[in-house]
């Protein structure tokens, strides 16, 4: 299944030139004067092995009325809403303008995927504009020159994760439209196939014991384990019947701070782990009881929450903790303070090596999955909202 890409930016930043390069033909009219493009133009784009639909749009200007510029803007906003990712292009030689900042705000409000492109970055003349691009809050810009074809490999790498999502078999995607009984938490008959496994990703820092935990759940040594950090590289899914609950477990590579991830292989491994999080239904964030809640643990838990997954926090190597009650209270207090968006998340203290409390993890995953799937009717939501407004007008 192909994905769609919309090229967005103010007038005369080189959008049509990039469009022509991606489609491999001079389909769009290109000129030095701004505002040449007015209509949306679609073409079959290609970057090495990636194939997608690319949309050339009119230059966005600060006009929201019924004027020509206003109508062009509305058309471009429709393209932003319809596309799977927006390539937001700025002119690195001219620097970031007030219009660029307004467009960045618009793209953030729409909440879609955005890749920032610093065009005309050939040579040193575009350095200042490239670094100014960080201030837009849309991530690191990709240096390109649409006229000379520079930076196309980097653009391909930025689009690759999106292409992988659309290449996945739709049967492997999480089933989020599932009707569950609010009382029992069980799927209502005929809504979800009870034989379809729940997809669970085990994530955490290196050497937290993720592979050991997966082996313990599977009842066999299928994942390579050891005292060395970073043994796991591929996020491989394994289907298993876990206490009568069909699951597909993903053992992922340990995720270090981005600044410490230097090797190409480790970067690929971490990307594979992030992809497993995106396509899981329940994410078990595994902490090391001897060194819990480092900044990277917080980032991993926040990532799972932002991706909309059901989250369970498991604290491994609990057998090595001496003051268990005190440590447990401190951990729960820290999670409530540092991760308020995960308030009420299930907590399980376990030992993957000894198998202690694995049954509790099973129950926590089952409960989190049921809660994640509960559908609230419009009537119940309106009733709750009415009561909340009456208490706090």
């Amino acid at each position: 299944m192909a994905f769609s890409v919309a090229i967005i930016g103010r007038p005369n930043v080189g959008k049509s030139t990039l469009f022509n390069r991606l489609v491999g033909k001079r389909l769009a009219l290109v000129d030095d004067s701004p505002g040449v493009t007015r209509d949306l133009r679609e073409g079959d784009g290609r970057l090495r092995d990636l194939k997608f639909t690319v949309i050339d749009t009119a230059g966005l200007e600060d006009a929201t009325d019924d004027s020509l510029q206003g109508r062009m803007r509305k058309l471009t906003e429709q393209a932003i809403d319809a596309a799977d990712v927006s390539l937001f292009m700025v002119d690195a030689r001219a620097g970031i303008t007030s219009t660029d900042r307004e467009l960045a705000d618009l793209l953030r409000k729409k909440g879609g995927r955005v890749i920032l492109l610093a065009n005309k970055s050939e040579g040193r003349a575009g350095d200042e504009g490239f670094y100014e691009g960080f201030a837009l809050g849309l991530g690191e810009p990709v240096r390109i020159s649409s006229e000379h074809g520079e930076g196309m490999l980097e653009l391909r790498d930025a689009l690759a994760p999106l292409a992988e999502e659309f290449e996945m078999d739709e049967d492997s995607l999480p089933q989020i439209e599932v009707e569950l009984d609010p009382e029992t938490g069980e799927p209502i008959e005929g809504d979800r196939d009870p034989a379809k496994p729940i997809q669970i990703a085990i994530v955490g820092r290196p050497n937290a014991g993720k592979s050991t935990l997966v082996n313990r759940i599977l009842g066999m040594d299928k994942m390579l384990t050891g005292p060395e950090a970073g043994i796991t590289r591929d996020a491989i899914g394994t289907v298993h019947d876990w206490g009568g609950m069909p699951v597909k477990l993903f053992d992922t590579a340990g995720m270090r701070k981005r600044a410490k991830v230097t090797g190409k292989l480790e970067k690929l491994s971490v990307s594979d782990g992030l992809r497993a999080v995106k396509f899981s239904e329940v994410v078990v964030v595994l902490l090391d009881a001897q060194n819990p809640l480092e900044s990277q643990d917080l980032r991993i838990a926040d990532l799972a929450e932002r991706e909309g997954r059901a989250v369970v926090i498991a604290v491994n190597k609990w057998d090595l903790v001496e003051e268990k009650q005190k440590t447990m209270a401190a951990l729960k207090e820290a999670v409530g303070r540092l991760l308020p968006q995960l308030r009420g998340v299930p907590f399980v203290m376990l030992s993957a090596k000894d198998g202690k409390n694995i049954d509790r993890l099973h129950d926590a995953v089952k409960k989190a999955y049921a809660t994640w799937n509960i559908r609230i009717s419009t009537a119940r939501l309106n009733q709750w909202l009415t009561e909340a407004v009456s208490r706090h007008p």
Side-chain angles (χ1 to χ4, degrees):
M1 184 167 57
F3 62 98
S4 56
V5 172
I7 306 175
I8 311 298
R10 58 183 176 82
N12 212 31
V13 294
K15 299 184 296 299
S16 294
T17 305
L18 177 62
F19 174 86
N20 286 341
R21 183 165 293 280
L22 294 178
V23 299
K25 303 175 185 177
R26 291 187 175 273
L27 296 181
L29 186 62
V30 177
D31 192 78
D32 289 337
S33 58
V36 173
T37 303
R38 290 181 174 177
D39 299 309
L40 301 182
R41 183 184 292 273
E42 290 188 10
D44 296 325
R46 183 165 187 169
L47 277 174
R48 299 215 172 183
D49 57 323
L50 299 188
K51 295 180 180 179
F52 46 87
T53 299
V54 58
I55 307 168
D56 187 22
T57 68
L60 272 171
E61 299 186 53
D62 188 17
T64 56
D65 54 12
D66 290 329
S67 64
L68 177 61
Q69 288 76 17
R71 297 196 303 275
M72 288 162 56
R73 180 187 177 104
K74 290 176 183 176
L75 201 60
T76 300
E77 289 189 21
Q78 289 177 20
I80 295 172
D81 294 333
D84 297 305
V85 61
S86 297
L87 300 182
F88 179 35
M89 184 180 286
V90 297
D91 186 337
R93 294 187 175 233
I96 303 302
T97 67
S98 59
T99 304
D100 290 327
R101 295 187 181 92
E102 291 171 5
L103 300 184
D105 290 339
L106 171 66
L107 290 168
R108 272 198 301 271
K109 288 175 182 176
K110 287 189 175 292
R113 296 180 177 91
V114 179
I115 297 175
L116 180 61
L117 303 182
N119 192 30
K120 307 179 185 179
S121 289
E122 62 270 24
R124 300 288 299 273
D127 285 354
E128 185 173 352
F130 168 78
Y131 290 113
E132 284 181 4
F134 284 88
L136 295 176
L138 295 172
E140 181 177 351
V142 179
R143 283 180 179 265
I144 70 165
S145 170
S146 56
E147 183 176 0
H148 300 289
E150 295 178 9
M152 293 301 108
L153 182 59
E154 288 75 10
L155 177 56
R156 180 259 169 219
D157 292 341
L159 288 171
L162 185 67
E164 291 174 357
E165 289 185 23
F166 281 84
E167 286 172 1
M168 288 194 68
D169 185 354
E170 290 188 5
D171 291 336
S172 68
L173 298 178
Q175 198 172 352
I176 59 175
E177 288 296 326
V178 181
E179 189 79 39
L180 275 79
D181 189 317
E183 300 297 328
T184 65
E186 297 296 327
I188 294 176
E189 189 67 28
D191 201 349
R192 185 189 199 275
D193 182 2
K196 187 179 173 91
I198 301 171
Q199 299 192 142
I200 305 171
I202 314 292
V203 300
R205 286 184 289 119
N207 218 26
K210 298 180 292 298
S211 297
T212 305
L213 175 60
V214 171
N215 284 342
R216 175 63 61 177
I217 295 173
L218 296 176
M220 65 180 78
D221 291 335
K222 187 169 183 178
M223 305 298 172
L224 185 62
T225 62
E228 304 89 355
I231 292 178
T232 302
R233 286 176 174 172
D234 297 312
I236 300 173
T238 305
V239 178
H240 178 66
D241 185 285
W242 185 15
M245 180 174 68
V247 297
K248 188 172 185 180
L249 294 169
F250 289 90
D251 180 23
T252 66
M255 300 179 187
R256 298 196 296 166
K257 293 180 180 178
R258 184 179 298 178
K260 294 184 178 180
V261 178
T262 55
K264 180 181 179 182
L265 187 58
E266 187 177 1
K267 289 180 180 179
L268 292 173
S269 298
V270 171
S271 297
D272 210 27
L274 295 175
R275 186 165 174 259
V277 171
K278 289 177 180 288
F279 289 97
S280 65
E281 295 167 296
V282 180
V283 175
V284 176
V285 180
L286 195 63
L287 307 180
D288 187 333
Q290 295 182 302
N291 197 16
L293 289 182
E294 287 194 352
S295 59
Q296 188 64 359
D297 292 319
L298 301 177
R299 291 191 184 97
I300 293 170
D302 181 63
L303 166 70
E305 192 276 333
R306 282 189 286 111
E307 287 295 333
R309 307 302 101 186
V311 178
V312 174
I313 294 181
V315 185
N316 192 26
K317 307 178 185 179
W318 193 243
D319 53 311
L320 303 179
V321 175
E322 295 182 359
E323 298 181 343
K324 289 182 170 53
Q325 292 295 332
K326 183 178 179 181
T327 305
M328 184 187 302
L331 266 174
K332 289 186 176 181
E333 185 276 331
V335 169
R337 174 168 44 85
L338 299 172
L339 293 168
Q341 67 272 37
L342 289 176
R343 185 175 300 162
V345 66
F347 244 95
V348 181
M349 314 299 180
L350 56 84
S351 171
K353 185 178 180 180
D354 300 337
K356 186 177 181 180
N357 289 340
I358 299 298
D359 55 338
R360 293 188 181 180
L361 178 62
H362 171 278
D363 295 341
V365 167
K366 187 176 181 180
K367 182 179 179 181
Y369 176 74
T371 302
W372 184 66
N373 276 288
I374 288 177
R375 186 181 300 165
I376 305 299
S377 67
T378 304
R380 288 180 62 192
L381 179 62
N382 287 340
Q383 182 183 3
W384 169 84
L385 184 59
T386 300
E387 294 175 356
V389 172
S390 66
R391 288 195 299 270
H392 299 280

